[in-house]
Amino acid sequence: MAYVDDFPTDARIVRWNMLVAFTALGIGGLFGMIQGLHRTGYFRGFVSSADYYTVLTGHGVLLALVFTTFALCGLFTWGVTRSLDRPLPSARFAMTWFGLMLVGAVMAAVTILGGLVPQMPLNADVLYTFYAPMKAHPAFYAGLALFIVGSWLAGVDWFRTYWRWRGDNPDQRIPLQTFMALTTMLMWYISSAGVAVEVLVFLLPWSLGLIQQVDPLLTRTLFWYFGHPVVYFWLMPAYFIWYTVLPKLSGGRLFSDPLARVVFVLFLLLSTPVGFHHQYVDPGIPEGFKFIAMTNTMFLLLPSLLTAFTVVASMEHGARQRGGEGRLGWLRELPWDEPAFAGCALAGLMFAAGGFSGMINAGMNINYLIHNTLWVPGHFHLTVGTASALTFMAAGYWLFPQITGNRLRFRSLATIQPYVWFIGMTLMSNAMHRAGLAGIPRRTAEPQYDSITFQGVVGGVSEMRLQIAIGGTILFLGLVLFLIVIFGTWLGGSGNDSLRVNGAIPAPLSGPEHSPRILDNLKLWTAVAILLIVLAYGLPLSAMISDGLFAPGSPPIPV
């Protein structure tokens, strides 16, 4: 029995979320290739340099917000219902949050794309970060508000499912997949409150003309209060797959359920009080609070290192079950020709590189060298562009047969697709990092200046541009291959073929009974998380609003 047979209504909700996610991925990926060719100067015939920023905004919003959030909702709906072995309480409620998110995403996307049509009174060239002083059409902010509210209700749906399960199972530990979904949503509720205040209290009334001015420092701070945790909102579903599905794909079992719970608790505690590390060059933030943010950010390396240890140990266990031997010889026994496994494993490998470049971003002193350079999008493409995106694609190869009842189509294309993506990202991201070290700026349509000559780092500037252009094109090719496989599987019908996958996930080598029950105390961890945020943000925010909530500029903040 496939998941679609046990939970037909929930399978439909998962499919629709994935449909929107992968449609946004396709459009956003096309925009990414256009940017890569445009800013490197290899082809500027798609858009003008003025419209480049519309495409840049669409690329960021569609991929960083729409694709990731809908993919998360699909994966978590599957994981919660599967692990609790019960459907969502109400199909109508599920369709309500899905509909709110869809309407909000469409409103924001149409407003952005309106910038490409001079006859339309819509415009939102505010980039993915969208904080003041750049202003968008009110429809953009209203769409974002609906989108966020929809995501909140999705979390409510998973909590309702859990509470009903808890009523029937008062003494059992929370199943791991549900535990991961709930802690992720608690982090999301806490962090997205900042962007909700920014949009509803400041940006939307400002764009409607109801208020005449906003404080750019305050809105920027509220965005980054949300802007770093949203990185983990993308990554935690990838961790969810690495911990619960990848060990099975490897042929083994998860090494440690307790370590997985510790990792998600640490993300809940530490993800939010770190946002000031995005504002190291912001003169309105006192150095002492930037230092606190840097310290907290470095602590975030711990859950990532724990994950690397646990996931690799699980993969090694699987390989040895297949007959693998030796210190590294077991790697040969892993199923590298299985697209779901290969995609997850390559995504994890690329994420390790992204973690190292992230340490540079997090350091107060060395961050100044790369802050406004191409290094930052290079890092970004290793994390959300590969760790999350490639994992979600790989999960799609494994999950779509289960939620459609159809056998995976175009298997040969699926087998090579993760490697195509990996090669494209290797070319593009390494050139972006080196370009950042050379001082080449980001967010620029034509980073060529008559009076400035950039010195190449481990290679020439023209070579880096070529790598970025080739890498971006290969990535788009990999995306097209993926969409052919997924939509071919979805629309191809079940025929008479039997499924080659099943949704059963083996028990961990070390189960939840080996960990203290306090790890499941979500109220305690939420309270601690809020306390840490008050310590990190309380004084700076109170100083920012001390001269008036809407007054631009703030007095100096004592450290």
Side-chain angles (χ1 to χ4, degrees), residues 276 285-294 535-536 539-540 557-559:
F276 284 142
I285 309 297
E287 296 298 303
F289 286 98
K290 293 176 183 175
F291 182 81
I292 293 173
M294 180 186 70
L535 294 175
L539 284 176
I557 307 168
V559 180

Side-chain angles (χ1 to χ4, degrees), residues 311-397:
V311 172
V312 171
S314 304
M315 291 169 59
E316 180 180 353
H317 173 261
R320 295 194 185 282
Q321 300 306 302
R322 293 169 172 269
E325 296 179 344
R327 291 184 179 177
L328 296 176
W330 55 270
L331 288 168
R332 291 195 296 269
E333 299 301 324
L334 291 170
W336 295 104
D337 59 342
E338 287 291 334
F341 170 82
C344 289
L346 294 175
L349 181 62
M350 199 65 94
F351 182 59
F356 286 115
S357 66
M359 284 191 282
I360 306 299
N361 299 342
M364 279 183 69
N365 48 359
I366 47 181
N367 177 282
Y368 297 144
L369 296 175
I370 49 85
H371 186 83
N372 278 321
T373 73
L374 210 51
W375 173 285
V376 175
H379 164 75
F380 211 57
H381 282 84
L382 290 179
T383 50
V384 65
T386 303
S388 296
L390 186 54
T391 299
F392 296 164
M393 287 188 272
Y397 291 137

Side-chain angles (χ1 to χ4, degrees), residues 239-450:
Y239 279 51
F240 167 89
I241 295 295
W242 295 346
Y243 274 109
T244 63
V245 178
L246 183 56
K248 170 192 171 71
L249 298 176
S250 305
R253 298 157 60 187
L254 174 63
F255 181 72
S256 172
D257 173 296
L259 276 180
R261 290 175 196 263
V262 169
V263 164
F264 273 69
V265 168
L266 287 174
F267 279 133
L268 170 59
L269 298 182
L270 298 173
S271 293
T272 306
V274 300
F276 284 142
H277 85 238
H278 288 267
Q279 296 176 269
Y280 282 153
V281 298
D282 199 324
I285 309 297
E287 296 298 303
F289 286 98
K290 293 176 183 175
F291 182 81
I292 293 173
M294 180 186 70
T295 305
N296 289 341
T297 307
M298 293 301 177
F299 278 125
L300 271 171
L301 290 172
L302 178 59
S304 294
L305 293 173
L306 288 174
T307 297
F309 170 77
T310 309
V311 172
V312 171
S314 304
M315 291 169 59
E316 180 180 353
H317 173 261
R320 295 194 185 282
Q321 300 306 302
R322 293 169 172 269
E325 296 179 344
R327 291 184 179 177
L328 296 176
W330 55 270
L331 288 168
R332 291 195 296 269
E333 299 301 324
L334 291 170
W336 295 104
D337 59 342
E338 287 291 334
F341 170 82
C344 289
L346 294 175
L349 181 62
M350 199 65 94
F351 182 59
F356 286 115
S357 66
M359 284 191 282
I360 306 299
N361 299 342
M364 279 183 69
N365 48 359
I366 47 181
N367 177 282
Y368 297 144
L369 296 175
I370 49 85
H371 186 83
N372 278 321
T373 73
L374 210 51
W375 173 285
V376 175
H379 164 75
F380 211 57
H381 282 84
L382 290 179
T383 50
V384 65
T386 303
S388 296
L390 186 54
T391 299
F392 296 164
M393 287 188 272
Y397 291 137
W398 185 73
L399 194 57
F400 258 67
Q402 299 177 54
I403 62 174
T404 62
N406 302 336
R407 191 166 176 175
L408 191 69
R409 306 289 175 177
F410 306 110
R411 189 170 185 80
S412 57
L413 297 182
T415 301
I416 65 170
Q417 188 272 338
Y419 298 95
V420 172
W421 189 273
F422 185 82
I423 293 169
M425 190 59 78
T426 300
L427 291 173
M428 191 177 81
S429 65
N430 98 79
M432 282 182 163
H433 281 88
R434 289 185 291 122
L437 294 176
I440 296 177
R442 57 178 168 140
R443 294 173 163 173
T444 306
E446 299 181 24
Q448 297 90 31
Y449 308 99
D450 294 336

Side-chain angles (χ1 to χ4, degrees), residues 5 32 46 52 57-58 118 136-137 157 182 217 224 251 257 264 280 326 360 364 394 425 435 472 522 536 545 547:
D5 300 315
F46 289 114
Y52 173 90
T57 302
H137 188 278
D157 214 5
L182 299 185
L217 173 62
W224 286 120
D257 173 296
F264 273 69
Y280 282 153
I360 306 299
M364 279 183 69
M425 190 59 78
L522 299 180
I545 62 176
D547 60 339

